[in-house]
Amino acid sequence: MPDNHDPADELAGTEQPFVQHLIELRDRLIRAVAAIAVAAAVLFFWPGPGQLYDLLAAPLVAHLPKGATLIATSVISPFMVPLKILLMSAFLVALPVVLYQVWAFVAPGLYSHEKKLVLPLVVSSTILFFLGVAFCYFFVFGKVFAFIQSFAPKSITAAPDIEAYLSFVLTMFLAFGLAFEVPIAVVVLARLGIVPVDKLKSFRGYFVVLAFIIAAVVTPPDVVSQLALAIPMCVLYELGIWAAQVFIKHTQAPEDSGNTESVS
């Protein structure tokens, strides 16, 4: 019997849903960019790029010798650096909206038990990232700059370059923000079955060594910043193990009972 099956039929009806997904993705991206643009516009008028830079530079300025200031070695640095800080601040302010757009795009394709896992992880990862940045700004910077200046000879007048300082700040913010995501990584590894909780518990000693190695690589070569990064990572690792056990218990897929789980 001849096979009259047309391969094109397999693709019938798939083009329109795919286009709809692209349109939805475009709309979500536009909304995310619009949120960042609105945040940037608000921050531009209040408090303003200059004030944002002064706020970011405050921990360093507070520990410079009397009369010392930051300098600009490039002609356009006084314009570009505050602008970069404005955009960075706008992204951080709009981050909840951006992550919500990501969540709204992927949520319709998830089962109910998957939503119980993803949504808390999105919210908690955002909060932990902000906590890492805040910890770095309010605690670590003051300790690090005081430690560094205590070693500076009296014959040296500190005048850091603003672009170098911005690069340092972004690196530190990223390092501490990502370090505070350790519980999320632990939860995901355990929940997906990649690494069992028992293995994570037995890995404690190795993680302590790993945390100090990471801290030594990504932070300045001083004991204060290295301890300030490594110790929270170790504490957060323990928090992640506890959270993983809770998540595994409450986000398991319902057992098959003759009813197929519906996508909600």
Side-chain angles (χ1 to χ4, degrees):
M1 184 174 181
D3 186 6
N4 296 323
H5 179 68
D6 185 0
D9 291 342
E10 297 179 358
L11 300 178
T14 60
E15 181 178 355
Q16 186 63 27
F18 178 72
V19 172
Q20 290 177 348
H21 283 305
L22 288 180
I23 293 174
E24 183 182 2
L25 177 61
R26 178 202 63 186
D27 293 340
R28 297 292 179 188
L29 288 174
I30 291 175
R31 292 171 187 170
V33 173
I36 297 174
V38 170
V42 173
L43 293 174
F44 180 83
F45 290 102
W46 187 86
Q51 286 71 19
L52 286 174
Y53 176 80
D54 291 339
L55 181 64
L56 191 64
L60 176 59
V61 173
H63 293 89
L64 289 177
K66 187 176 181 180
T69 60
L70 280 76
I71 63 171
T73 57
S74 174
V75 175
I76 63 173
S77 292
F79 170 77
M80 291 301 300
V81 171
L83 181 61
K84 291 177 182 178
I85 294 174
L86 173 67
L87 295 176
M88 178 190 71
S89 302
F91 177 77
L92 291 177
V93 170
L95 186 58
V97 178
V98 173
L99 292 178
Y100 172 78
Q101 297 303 322
V102 175
W103 164 250
F105 179 73
V106 302
L110 300 177
Y111 290 105
S112 59
H113 70 277
E114 292 173 332
K115 291 181 181 180
K116 291 179 181 179
L117 171 66
V118 176
L119 183 57
L121 289 182
V122 170
V123 175
S124 58
S125 62
T126 305
I127 294 174
L128 286 171
F129 186 85
F130 281 132
L131 286 176
V133 171
F135 178 75
C136 180
Y137 178 83
F138 289 105
F139 176 77
V140 177
F141 279 172
K143 302 297 182 182
V144 170
F145 297 146
F147 179 81
I148 293 174
Q149 290 302 318
S150 66
F151 278 84
K154 300 298 182 181
S155 58
I156 296 178
T157 300
D161 175 62
I162 58 175
E163 288 195 22
Y165 178 67
L166 175 61
S167 177
F168 170 81
V169 166
L170 291 178
T171 300
M172 292 290 284
F173 279 173
L174 185 62
F176 278 84
L178 293 179
F180 271 59
E181 300 292 334
V182 167
I184 305 300
V186 172
V187 169
V188 171
L189 289 174
R191 178 61 183 82
L192 296 180
I194 299 175
V195 183
V197 174
D198 292 340
K199 290 289 186 180
L200 291 170
K201 291 180 179 179
S202 63
F203 190 71
R204 283 189 179 105
Y206 298 101
F207 184 82
V208 172
V209 177
L210 180 63
F212 277 90
I213 293 175
I214 293 174
V217 172
V218 302
T219 61
D222 65 275
V223 177
V224 176
S225 59
Q226 292 175 10
L227 290 176
L229 182 62
I231 293 176
M233 286 181 67
C234 297
V235 174
L236 291 168
Y237 184 79
E238 293 296 327
L239 176 63
I241 293 176
W242 171 82
Q245 298 176 81
V246 175
F247 267 73
I248 290 174
K249 179 179 179 180
H250 292 89
T251 61
Q252 292 287 358
E255 295 184 4
D256 294 333
S257 58
N259 295 326
T260 304
E261 182 183 21
S262 59
V263 179
S264 58

